[in-house]
Amino acid sequence: MLLLKLKHNNGIPLYNQITDQIKEMIERDVIKPGYKLPSTRTLADRLGVNRSTVYEAYQELWALGYIESRPGSYSFVRKRQELATGNTRKTKSIIPWNKQVSPASENIYRTLHLIRSEYTAESVPPNVINLSPLTMDKRLLPVEDFRKCMNKVLRESGTKVLDYGESNGYGKLRTYIANRLQLHSISVTADEVLITNGSQQGIDLILRLLTEPGSKIAVESPTYSLIIPLLKYFKLDVVSIPMLADGLDIDYLEKVLRKEKISLIYTIPNFQNPTGVTTDQVHRERLLGICEKHRVPIVEDGFEEEMKYFGNAVLPIKSMDKGGVVIYIGTFSKVLSPGIRIGWIAADKDCIERLAAIKRYSDLTSNAVVQGAIYEYCSRGYYDLHIKRMHRIFARRMKTAIKALRKYMPAGKVSWVEPAGGYLIWLKLENHKLDTLKLNKAGLRNGVLVSPGPYFFTGNKRGHEYFRICISTLNEEEIERGIRNLVKTIIQLEKS
Amino acid sequence: MLLLKLKHNNGIPLYNQITDQIKEMIERDVIKPGYKLPSTRTLADRLGVNRSTVYEAYQELWALGYIESRPGSYSFVRKRQELATGNTRKTKSIIPWNKQVSPASENIYRTLHLIRSEYTAESVPPNVINLSPLTMDKRLLPVEDFRKCMNKVLRESGTKVLDYGESNGYGKLRTYIANRLQLHSISVTADEVLITNGSQQGIDLILRLLTEPGSKIAVESPTYSLIIPLLKYFKLDVVSIPMLADGLDIDYLEKVLRKEKISLIYTIPNFQNPTGVTTDQVHRERLLGICEKHRVPIVEDGFEEEMKYFGNAVLPIKSMDKGGVVIYIGTFSKVLSPGIRIGWIAADKDCIERLAAIKRYSDLTSNAVVQGAIYEYCSRGYYDLHIKRMHRIFARRMKTAIKALRKYMPAGKVSWVEPAGGYLIWLKLENHKLDTLKLNKAGLRNGVLVSPGPYFFTGNKRGHEYFRICISTLNEEEIERGIRNLVKTIIQLEKS
């Protein structure tokens, strides 16, 4: 006999009280699987409630899996599958993920795992000057102006930006970017711009569009470290083009293009990551010329286009791209804010539309809320002012870095190329027996971290004699201190 | 003889004046390629300026490609590559993108192109009731509360959210989501949650992780239309599991799993898109049981988990997942805002970490700014209030829709399944000679649009007798009017 006690007017609906009490009886084994529940009519009469109240309670119990047949006919208690909780969950998944995932995915995971097990930004002790990360100086993030713009856009266009955005990106922002690219002599329309989640997604989309497993692609070596695992993931056949003092070895590239079918070439012509090299006009014209001749798309990563604070601006390759072979990548991450995750691709419309189709199926659109705020920020002139400020600050910081290197580095032991802008300096230990992968262990004791060369190389060259320093997060005092700590570290390494 | 006129104190730096004037002479052909420029010393003497001023001007001209050798030795005018402008750009790219991209990409592009050439949300005349799109009613977007939260987070944690975020997503938001999933009896920790750019990116990442070209995956047919082109793009071998009145045909699935190696099964157990079917507890237990037995990951898309406004909530499959085989996908897009692009995956930690690695290389992290604001919105209780409001409104709207269907639909000509919540109703024309792909042409004249069945089917079945209606963007008056217009359209179609 099912003994239920209902309280009227205690705020809990009657059907909930019935559900909860029966549920508890089942869970406490007071009534067992197979137990036949009274019909809805019988129970309703007995409790003095409406039949529909009992019906609703039974339906809930059925939905939750506590009773067996649909209400209406007789219902029986059933053994419900236990919930998975901290106690009942197996400590290990019964799926062996490391084996069940695609080998390429496992590879990318292991690579990341290796990198993570090293010093990450969070694990660095506060007294250490971290010359490694290419992120922004938090002290320079334009928080207050951005907040005002965000506030304005949510007040004035809130319903627009909280809804799905335009699939190629917020229209006004695409127009702004197209206009801004004109300042760098790049002539594109808003239709030839696709907004991406930072330049990293730009790279991913381009690789998805233009390659298949086994495709040959040409990249500078050394190059941007976060593209290297992606190339492996896509199972690409990487042709490494050596970086020389004035940019990628264009004679070498030309030979490659004459012999092989290359799907694309990825290049960073300004302040190349990691070497800091900026190619000159003649180099750019030659590169464009041979790629036009061989019909090979150039992916021009202009990630620091805006950081030409020393003047003498060489125009982007895209500025001369009459034949539509250059796919240009830009980003706000390295001059405004990486947390907003906004970058863009500017390319021939036929190419942009195909990239947009892949983006559509991979994440629909980019974040409309932040695109709206950034458009506001740019169109009100804050972006121009911010860039001017960044130029002023980093012209000083880079000069400080160069001065400190000249002053403190032991003559003949370390060499470097002075960059024409940006945040990066690439250094070389002249004693080839030293391995820059060992720099950070000693560096941590001396209060400095750098990015060892081998992170950036593709192909056979290991690059253990090189390392990269980055001044983007540090002020002048910190830069000077970091370099002094670095010198101390190198001297120790020489001796050991 | 190089005739330059410099103005002192006109605000333009002298080296800029020199650069500009020489540049203009070259562009106007006053001095021609091969012309030997005076040495820096000679020109400086002649102009009465510092030699370094001329040096700087020459360096700029060299960077811009107007002169040939590096300053220091003699410099010659060179023929600079013309800029690409509206006039000089070729009308068509010399790269045949349709042939040079991967065939899978071209396929995805063509599919999107076909869909776009139909009626899109923007092209619908204002008098037409659009029962097609599964987006949110703009009138219900919680703009003002969201704005307040965004403002607060930018004031208090601006530098944090404008910097690169944590790679698996904003920590506090992951904790909130893990806690909220407890309400649905899902037991996961913040480490088992990965923030994604909406659920679409969740699906993309999971396919990237678990499949390779040729992998067999099981999906319900009909299913979510935007996954279908993605399956083709990944070159997967799709095993279509027919949807029955109570969910996917589990006997059929069991036979498939006994015979074949399946990489994953994708299922939507609540308010399935497009059929609106919600499976019961017994169905869920059986599905979990056979997938555990065969070690096949279940991808459970809980895109409308929060929209159980009729009560009688069946718990997610993930709630019983003791063996860690369920990869659960959630999103804010269908209950809060699609423009914020925030969804999540909850799964076994080993699986989450591997998904996070792929996300890392495909777009680094999701937008930290909006994640911060959404955390604020949720933790201050706005989200709960908003869901309550949505429940109140959509319980009424869905009842209106069902009532209107019962009232106006001609008996015996159209059938449908009444959904247990959500936004979708799946209808069937009993006259099999009719094709729902023809509904919208007539519908547009009568002021109504729907989603024809064939959009949602995989495999051999075309589903031309089915169509989906969605009430998510419409109020009660609009829903009733839309259904009356629909009835008129179906009657016309019957007659023609």
Side-chain angles (χ1 to χ4, degrees):
Chain A
M1 174 96 181
L2 205 60
L3 285 175
L4 307 178
K5 280 174 203 150
L6 302 189
K7 284 180 187 158
H8 292 264
N9 308 321
N10 75 343
I12 302 171
L14 293 172
Y15 88 89
N16 274 349
Q17 296 186 42
I18 300 173
T19 311
D20 288 350
Q21 290 180 33
I22 296 181
K23 210 173 119 179
E24 213 192 313
M25 285 179 189
I26 297 172
E27 281 178 352
R28 292 226 241 123
D29 259 355
V30 178
I31 50 179
K32 293 197 181 4
Y35 178 90
K36 184 168 130 193
L37 290 171
S39 72
T40 50
R41 186 187 302 269
T42 311
L43 189 59
D45 285 351
R46 204 191 298 158
L47 295 171
V49 300
N50 210 308
R51 191 179 162 191
S52 68
T53 305
V54 179
Y55 181 86
E56 218 172 331
Y58 278 20
Q59 211 168 22
E60 178 102 5
L61 287 165
W62 164 77
L64 290 171
Y66 287 102
I67 62 180
E68 207 149 314
S69 63
R70 283 177 183 262
S73 74
Y74 277 105
S75 300
F76 296 88
V77 170
R78 74 182 278 275
K79 188 167 164 51
R80 193 197 178 284
Q81 171 82 277
E82 229 181 334
L83 288 178
T85 62
N87 293 328
T88 63
R89 277 177 64 183
K90 292 193 170 49
T91 48
K92 227 175 148 42
S93 169
I94 61 174
I95 302 214
W97 297 106
N98 58 340
K99 284 170 198 146
Q100 205 141 332
V101 305
S102 75
S105 301
E106 192 60 15
N107 196 309
I108 219 170
Y109 164 71
R110 283 204 199 128
T111 310
L112 186 63
H113 207 65
L114 276 176
I115 295 173
R116 284 237 176 103
S117 64
E118 295 191 18
Y119 318 103
T120 60
E122 295 79 43
S123 69
V124 173
N127 65 321
V128 171
I129 305 288
N130 198 343
L131 286 162
S132 175
L134 176 42
T135 58
M136 282 191 59
D137 185 343
K138 283 182 189 240
R139 296 163 291 200
L140 302 179
L141 294 168
V143 177
E144 188 50 22
D145 293 337
F146 180 77
R147 186 189 66 75
K148 280 188 218 149
C149 295
M150 178 62 92
N151 214 14
K152 183 159 183 270
V153 83
L154 284 173
R155 269 192 205 284
E156 292 174 7
S157 320
T159 47
K160 184 180 159 82
V161 297
L162 285 175
D163 199 357
Y164 281 113
E166 297 163 67
S167 53
N168 290 19
Y170 198 70
K172 285 175 177 176
L173 183 62
R174 281 188 285 120
T175 304
Y176 176 86
I177 288 170
N179 290 338
R180 178 147 199 108
L181 287 174
Q182 296 281 1
L183 290 186
H184 301 284
S185 299
I186 291 177
S187 161
V188 287
T189 63
D191 284 348
E192 295 168 315
V193 172
L194 173 69
I195 305 286
T196 58
N197 305 332
S199 60
Q200 188 76 23
Q201 189 185 39
I203 294 171
D204 185 45
L205 290 173
I206 291 166
L207 293 176
R208 289 178 100 160
L209 180 72
L210 289 174
T211 72
E212 293 198 279
S215 291
K216 281 199 167 68
I217 87 157
V219 297
E220 295 160 345
S221 181
T223 188
Y224 172 45
S225 61
L226 284 182
I227 200 179
I228 299 172
L230 209 50
L231 302 177
K232 275 194 202 137
Y233 174 76
F234 281 103
K235 296 174 187 156
L236 302 179
D237 185 355
V238 177
V239 181
S240 302
I241 312 295
M243 278 296 289
L244 306 178
D246 61 349
L248 67 88
D249 186 338
I250 209 147
D251 294 324
Y252 187 91
L253 176 67
E254 198 163 13
K255 270 181 221 148
V256 168
L257 293 189
R258 252 187 253 129
K259 278 194 314 209
E260 322 210 52
K261 171 82 194 125
I262 298 288
S263 295
L264 64 89
I265 162 140
Y266 172 76
T267 180
I268 312 173
N270 292 325
F271 327 130
Q272 200 250 8
N273 186 357
T275 62
V277 167
T278 298
T279 63
D280 64 27
Q281 174 70 18
V282 179
H283 189 280
R284 294 176 189 211
E285 290 182 12
R286 261 195 85 191
L287 177 57
L288 179 61
I290 62 171
C291 288
E292 279 175 341
K293 185 178 155 198
H294 294 279
R295 303 279 194 272
V296 174
I298 300 176
V299 179
E300 177 179 20
D301 190 339
F303 79 120
E304 284 184 0
E305 201 72 70
E306 299 290 359
M307 288 306 286
K308 294 169 176 172
Y309 47 74
F310 284 152
N312 302 323
V314 192
L315 297 178
I317 305 172
K318 181 71 181 160
S319 69
M320 301 173 282
D321 179 30
K322 293 192 279 286
V325 306
V326 180
I327 303 173
Y328 180 88
I329 298 177
T331 179
F332 286 113
S333 297
K334 301 302 181 197
V335 66
L336 181 57
S337 152
I340 57 170
R341 309 302 309 125
I342 300 185
W344 58 88
I345 303 175
D348 183 67
K349 194 160 176 267
D350 281 343
C351 177
I352 285 292
E353 284 183 357
R354 283 166 172 82
L355 289 165
I358 299 178
K359 174 154 173 77
R360 170 107 184 124
Y361 292 108
S362 66
D363 69 357
L364 299 186
T365 67
S366 282
N367 195 298
V369 178
V370 175
Q371 287 182 72
I374 283 297
Y375 166 69
E376 196 62 34
Y377 182 86
C378 291
S379 66
R380 285 166 87 176
Y382 286 124
Y383 187 44
D384 286 313
L385 288 174
H386 177 71
I387 289 175
K388 272 190 194 145
R389 182 169 174 241
M390 293 290 283
H391 280 195
R392 221 164 43 233
I393 292 170
F394 278 96
R396 278 205 307 266
R397 289 185 179 180
M398 185 55 88
K399 278 178 195 157
T400 301
I402 298 291
K403 214 170 118 188
L405 286 174
R406 287 188 194 149
K407 188 166 166 190
Y408 301 114
M409 276 295 163
K413 299 214 184 295
V414 185
S415 62
W416 63 88
V417 185
E418 291 185 10
Y423 302 118
L424 305 173
I425 309 173
W426 186 238
L427 297 98
K428 187 180 173 189
L429 299 181
E430 295 300 339
N431 178 350
H432 286 221
K433 274 180 238 150
L434 300 182
D435 185 344
T436 55
L437 282 171
K438 289 181 185 153
L439 261 179
N440 282 341
K441 204 177 164 196
L444 208 56
R445 283 194 303 269
N446 293 316
V448 68
L449 288 173
V450 300
S451 302
Y455 290 3
F456 305 97
F457 282 87
T458 62
N460 296 325
K461 197 171 157 100
R462 259 190 81 228
H464 65 281
E465 68 272 40
Y466 294 98
F467 65 101
R468 186 191 82 177
I469 66 175
C470 176
I471 61 166
S472 63
T473 63
L474 306 169
N475 65 25
E476 293 166 60
E477 184 274 321
E478 290 157 345
I479 291 168
E480 173 157 337
R481 188 147 47 96
I483 288 175
R484 277 191 291 153
N485 294 349
L486 177 61
V487 170
K488 211 193 298 177
T489 310
I490 292 172
I491 291 171
Q492 283 176 6
L493 208 66
E494 288 265 0
K495 282 183 189 155
S496 69
Chain B
M1 174 96 183
L2 205 61
L3 285 174
L4 305 178
K5 280 173 203 150
L6 301 189
K7 284 180 188 158
H8 292 263
N9 307 321
N10 73 344
I12 302 170
L14 291 172
Y15 88 91
N16 274 349
Q17 296 186 42
I18 300 173
T19 310
D20 288 349
Q21 289 179 34
I22 296 181
K23 210 173 121 180
E24 213 192 313
M25 284 181 191
I26 296 173
E27 281 177 354
R28 293 224 242 123
D29 258 357
V30 176
I31 51 179
K32 293 196 184 1
Y35 178 92
K36 183 169 134 194
L37 290 170
S39 71
T40 50
R41 185 187 303 269
T42 310
L43 189 58
D45 285 351
R46 206 191 298 158
L47 294 170
V49 299
N50 209 308
R51 189 177 163 193
S52 69
T53 306
V54 178
Y55 180 86
E56 219 172 330
Y58 277 19
Q59 209 167 24
E60 178 102 4
L61 286 165
W62 164 78
L64 291 169
Y66 288 100
I67 62 180
E68 209 150 312
S69 63
R70 283 177 182 263
S73 74
Y74 277 105
S75 302
F76 295 89
V77 170
R78 74 181 277 275
K79 190 168 163 46
R80 193 196 179 285
Q81 173 82 275
E82 230 180 333
L83 288 177
T85 64
N87 292 328
T88 62
R89 276 177 65 183
K90 290 194 172 47
T91 49
K92 229 177 147 39
S93 169
I94 60 174
I95 301 211
W97 297 106
N98 58 340
K99 284 171 198 147
Q100 206 141 333
V101 305
S102 75
S105 301
E106 192 60 14
N107 196 310
I108 219 169
Y109 165 71
R110 284 203 198 129
T111 311
L112 185 65
H113 206 66
L114 275 175
I115 296 174
R116 284 237 176 103
S117 64
E118 296 190 18
Y119 317 103
T120 60
E122 296 80 43
S123 69
V124 173
N127 64 321
V128 171
I129 306 286
N130 199 344
L131 286 162
S132 175
L134 175 44
T135 58
M136 281 191 60
D137 185 343
K138 283 181 189 240
R139 295 164 293 199
L140 302 178
L141 294 168
V143 177
E144 187 51 22
D145 293 337
F146 180 77
R147 186 189 65 75
K148 278 186 221 151
C149 296
M150 179 62 93
N151 214 13
K152 183 159 182 270
V153 84
L154 284 173
R155 269 191 206 284
E156 293 175 6
S157 320
T159 46
K160 182 181 159 80
V161 298
L162 286 175
D163 200 357
Y164 281 112
E166 297 163 66
S167 53
N168 290 19
Y170 198 70
K172 285 176 178 174
L173 183 61
R174 282 189 286 119
T175 303
Y176 176 86
I177 288 170
N179 289 339
R180 179 147 199 109
L181 287 174
Q182 296 280 3
L183 290 187
H184 302 285
S185 299
I186 292 177
S187 161
V188 288
T189 62
D191 282 348
E192 295 168 315
V193 172
L194 172 69
I195 305 286
T196 57
N197 306 331
S199 60
Q200 188 76 24
Q201 190 185 39
I203 294 171
D204 185 45
L205 290 174
I206 291 166
L207 293 176
R208 289 178 101 159
L209 180 72
L210 290 174
T211 73
E212 293 199 279
S215 291
K216 281 199 168 66
I217 87 155
V219 297
E220 296 159 346
S221 181
T223 189
Y224 172 46
S225 61
L226 285 182
I227 201 180
I228 299 172
L230 209 50
L231 302 177
K232 276 195 200 133
Y233 174 77
F234 281 104
K235 296 174 187 156
L236 303 179
D237 185 355
V238 177
V239 181
S240 302
I241 313 296
M243 277 297 288
L244 306 177
D246 60 349
L248 66 87
D249 186 338
I250 209 148
D251 295 324
Y252 187 93
L253 176 67
E254 199 163 13
K255 270 181 220 145
V256 168
L257 293 190
R258 252 186 254 129
K259 277 194 315 210
E260 322 210 51
K261 171 82 193 127
I262 298 288
S263 296
L264 63 91
I265 163 142
Y266 173 76
T267 180
I268 312 174
N270 291 325
F271 327 129
Q272 199 250 7
N273 186 358
T275 64
V277 167
T278 298
T279 63
D280 64 27
Q281 174 69 19
V282 179
H283 189 281
R284 293 178 189 209
E285 290 183 11
R286 261 195 86 192
L287 177 57
L288 179 61
I290 63 170
C291 288
E292 279 175 341
K293 185 177 154 198
H294 293 279
R295 304 279 194 272
V296 174
I298 300 176
V299 178
E300 178 179 22
D301 189 341
F303 79 121
E304 284 183 359
E305 200 73 70
E306 299 290 358
M307 288 306 287
K308 295 171 175 170
Y309 46 75
F310 285 152
N312 302 323
V314 193
L315 297 178
I317 306 172
K318 182 72 183 160
S319 69
M320 301 172 282
D321 179 31
K322 293 193 278 287
V325 306
V326 180
I327 303 172
Y328 180 88
I329 298 177
T331 179
F332 287 112
S333 296
K334 300 303 180 196
V335 67
L336 181 58
S337 151
I340 57 169
R341 310 299 311 123
I342 299 185
W344 58 88
I345 303 175
D348 182 68
K349 194 159 175 268
D350 281 344
C351 178
I352 285 292
E353 283 183 358
R354 282 165 173 82
L355 289 165
I358 299 178
K359 175 156 172 75
R360 170 108 184 122
Y361 291 108
S362 66
D363 68 358
L364 299 186
T365 68
S366 282
N367 195 298
V369 177
V370 175
Q371 286 183 72
I374 283 297
Y375 166 70
E376 196 62 34
Y377 182 87
C378 290
S379 65
R380 285 167 86 176
Y382 286 125
Y383 187 46
D384 286 314
L385 288 173
H386 177 72
I387 288 176
K388 272 189 191 146
R389 182 169 174 240
M390 292 291 283
H391 280 194
R392 223 163 43 231
I393 291 171
F394 278 96
R396 279 206 308 267
R397 288 184 179 181
M398 185 55 89
K399 279 178 193 157
T400 301
I402 298 291
K403 215 170 116 188
L405 286 173
R406 285 187 194 150
K407 188 165 166 190
Y408 300 113
M409 274 296 162
K413 298 215 184 293
V414 185
S415 63
W416 61 89
V417 183
E418 292 186 10
Y423 303 117
L424 305 173
I425 309 174
W426 184 239
L427 298 100
K428 186 182 174 189
L429 299 181
E430 295 299 340
N431 179 349
H432 285 222
K433 275 180 236 148
L434 300 182
D435 185 344
T436 55
L437 281 173
K438 288 181 185 152
L439 261 179
N440 281 343
K441 204 178 163 195
L444 208 57
R445 282 194 306 268
N446 293 315
V448 68
L449 288 174
V450 301
S451 301
Y455 291 4
F456 305 98
F457 282 87
T458 60
N460 295 325
K461 196 171 159 102
R462 257 190 83 230
H464 65 281
E465 67 272 38
Y466 294 97
F467 64 101
R468 186 191 82 176
I469 65 176
C470 176
I471 61 165
S472 64
T473 64
L474 306 169
N475 66 25
E476 293 168 58
E477 185 274 321
E478 291 158 344
I479 291 168
E480 173 157 339
R481 188 147 48 96
I483 287 175
R484 278 192 290 153
N485 295 349
L486 177 61
V487 170
K488 212 195 297 178
T489 310
I490 292 172
I491 290 172
Q492 283 176 7
L493 209 66
E494 287 265 359
K495 283 184 187 155
S496 69

